[in-house]
Amino acid sequence: MDASRTGAGTGSETNRVRLAAAVSAALVVGAGLGLRAVAAGDVAKYGGDALYTLLLVALVVLVAPRVTARKAGVVALAVSWGVEFLQLSGLPAELSRHSAAARLVLGSTFNAPDLFWYAVGALVGRLVLAAVPRPACRP
């Protein structure tokens, strides 16, 4: 039997995509920390917003390596916007007072311009994924 009929090689392709997603996630985190180290103000804030959603795109692919580029971008954007709107409740602010991790993941204060920069991050992620050949995926 050939590999295409038995599914042989599928696991290795999936593992390759997951490894690339994990490396990408680590690089995005590094870029975010680097951005904070060299920039301040709006550049650091809004660049961090875009990188936050780009990180979520990488994490979506890590969890679901065969996801389409479009769906990965939409899921990442939905999560980003969901977290931003959750900030209207005050819960993230309260959690952020007690945990640095919560502050990094959930933020604390709603800021409408963040919504645009999350969309920028999702779009960049979608474009990158669409440009990278992956098995059984379409942009």
Side-chain angles (χ1 to χ4, degrees):
M1 286 194 173
D2 66 72
S4 65
R5 297 186 88 205
T6 64
T10 302
S12 63
E13 268 307 299
T14 299
N15 289 339
R16 182 188 65 77
V17 171
R18 281 196 167 119
L19 178 60
V23 168
S24 297
L27 290 173
V28 170
V29 169
L33 294 173
L35 181 63
R36 286 282 182 169
V38 300
D42 287 348
V43 171
K45 174 162 182 21
Y46 296 126
D49 288 345
L51 288 170
Y52 177 86
T53 304
L54 191 57
L55 172 62
L56 291 176
V57 170
L59 294 176
V60 168
V61 174
L62 182 65
V63 170
R66 294 186 180 275
V67 68
T68 64
R70 181 177 189 273
K71 188 175 281 187
V74 167
V75 168
L77 183 58
V79 170
S80 296
W81 282 358
V83 168
E84 191 67 26
F85 283 112
L86 181 64
Q87 292 170 358
L88 291 169
S89 74
L91 179 62
E94 181 60 30
L95 294 172
S96 292
R97 280 193 272 282
H98 303 290
S99 167
R103 188 170 32 261
L104 289 171
V105 174
L106 300 175
S108 61
T109 308
F110 178 82
N111 185 31
D114 291 352
L115 300 171
F116 170 77
W117 292 103
Y118 294 143
V120 169
L123 179 61
V124 169
R126 180 180 176 185
L127 292 173
V128 169
L129 283 176
V132 175
R134 294 182 301 134
C137 293
R138 291 178 302 278

